[in-house]
Amino acid sequence: MPHLDTCQGILRRLIAKGDPNAIPLAERAINEYLEVTPSGARKSGLRLIQQDVLAQYNAVVGVQRSFAESVNAYIETKLAEE
């Protein structure tokens, strides 16, 4: 699961920075993960990524928390599409 680990690592770093201008980078990381993941594994992988994002959300405050919330909303959108 190297692609999953890569996506999670990118999202963790972006959440830690909390820069709202970096939302497109988070979306791109998620989209790139989806592109290289077989269709049967996408939904479960997205849920694992979401769990990690929610763990970050619960561990941070302020702009970082807002960023994590935005990332989670994007993941919810992608889950609905799968």
Side-chain angles (χ1 to χ4, degrees), residues 7-20 22-23 25-27 29-30 49-73 75:
C7 182
Q8 286 179 325
I10 291 168
L11 294 177
R12 286 176 189 160
R13 287 189 295 278
L14 291 172
I15 291 169
K17 289 182 181 179
D19 180 3
I23 292 290
L25 296 175
E27 292 174 354
I30 293 165
I49 293 168
Q50 184 178 41
Q51 287 176 346
D52 193 60
V53 168
L54 291 173
Q56 298 300 311
Y57 173 82
N58 290 326
V60 295
V61 295
V63 292
Q64 290 90 357
R65 190 176 188 116
S66 178
F67 190 95
E69 187 173 24
S70 296
V71 172
N72 184 55
I75 292 170

Side-chain angles (χ1 to χ4, degrees), residues 1 4 33-34 37-48 82:
M1 295 209 262
L4 178 72
Y33 166 75
L34 291 172
T37 303
S39 60
R42 289 181 187 154
K43 201 165 202 168
S44 62
L46 277 174
R47 289 207 168 125
L48 288 172
E82 286 298 319

